[in-house]
Amino acid sequence: MNLTANPCAGLEDLPSDAAAAAETAAVEAIEPSTPLPHDLPIFLVGMMGAGKTTIGRGLARALGREFIDLDHELEARCGVRVPIIFEIEGEAGFRKRESMALQECTQRRGIILATGGGAVLAEENRRLLRERGVVLYLRASVDELFRRTCRDRNRPLLATADPRGTLRDLMVKREPLYSEVADLVIETGSTPIATLIKTILPKLQAYEKK
């Protein structure tokens, strides 16, 4: 059933494949930077569409670190895409698998880890993020999040009649949790990836985890 016949109507944007190619090119153009003075993992949290994967890849390239996307890690383990996991096991089943993967991944040093948008919902997940690494909260407006996600069919929580409203409701629920775990807050907005990376790097260089 098609609940959202044309959720992107009126939005001017690149086709999804062209947008992905543009993001990949932007990441590949990022130049190496001075490594961080520690090997603590860097965890990226934030809403779906906030840029965790793209920015995470850019930071990994700049810092010479391994990049891990938690959703992709889950897909590799299960052998199916995230929407299929939701369809078969429901959100509760997905969250259980997500927590198990997070428990393992957060123990790895020297990585950049992009978490799923709902990874902060579990209290134990939030504890692990706070205690095991440096947490960057990537924040964007609901309108910007909608612009970035409205063509993405790999986001089961947005398969509703009103995906913009769903994003708004999720933001209200999750914003305090992102803020709770965040060591640094980065406004992503429509800023180019390379510019964001140049903004984030000195903040990471100067930050000392207490």
Side-chain angles (χ1 to χ4, degrees):
M1 181 171 62
N2 185 5
L3 295 176
T4 54
N6 188 14
C8 295
L11 292 179
E12 295 181 2
D13 200 358
L14 290 171
S16 58
D17 54 347
E23 287 186 353
T24 298
V27 169
E28 291 178 348
I30 293 172
E31 298 181 357
S33 177
T34 304
L36 297 181
H38 57 74
D39 68 347
L40 285 174
I42 307 298
F43 305 137
L44 307 183
V45 303
M47 288 284 291
M48 62 185 85
K52 298 185 297 294
T53 297
T54 305
I55 292 172
R57 286 175 175 154
L59 287 173
R61 182 176 179 84
L63 295 171
R65 291 191 171 200
E66 178 186 2
F67 172 71
I68 299 173
D69 182 294
L70 194 62
D71 280 350
H72 295 171
E73 179 75 12
L74 280 169
E75 291 178 341
R77 294 181 181 201
C78 297
V80 295
R81 304 297 297 275
V82 165
I84 302 300
I85 302 174
F86 264 79
E87 181 180 340
I88 295 174
E89 300 186 350
E91 184 173 0
F94 173 81
R95 296 300 174 200
K96 182 177 180 179
R97 290 183 180 275
E98 180 180 57
S99 292
M100 292 172 61
L102 187 74
Q103 160 69 24
E104 295 177 21
C105 290
T106 53
Q107 296 183 70
R108 301 175 63 175
R109 309 290 287 192
I111 65 167
I112 307 290
L113 175 68
T115 66
V120 296
L121 294 175
E123 182 178 355
E124 175 64 9
N125 290 353
R126 298 198 300 276
R127 183 187 69 80
L128 294 177
L129 291 169
R130 286 194 306 268
E131 293 181 358
R132 292 183 173 178
V134 179
V135 184
L136 270 61
Y137 168 25
L138 305 184
R139 187 163 59 191
S141 69
V142 170
D143 285 344
E144 182 66 19
L145 294 172
F146 178 70
R147 184 185 70 79
R148 297 176 187 174
T149 60
C150 66
R151 289 184 174 85
D152 192 338
R153 298 295 178 257
N154 200 39
R155 300 185 186 277
L157 291 180
L158 296 186
T160 68
D162 181 16
R164 189 194 297 268
T166 299
L167 280 169
R168 187 180 302 110
D169 293 343
L170 289 172
M171 175 74 89
V172 169
K173 181 178 181 180
R174 296 175 179 180
E175 167 79 21
L177 304 180
Y178 297 138
S179 298
E180 175 188 326
V181 300
D183 294 305
L184 297 168
V185 179
I186 306 296
E187 299 287 346
T188 60
S190 58
T191 306
I193 295 300
T195 303
L196 278 171
I197 299 301
K198 289 180 180 179
T199 300
I200 295 170
L201 287 173
K203 295 180 182 294
L204 286 175
Q205 296 284 356
Y207 185 79
E208 294 184 10
K209 185 80 173 181
K210 297 180 179 179

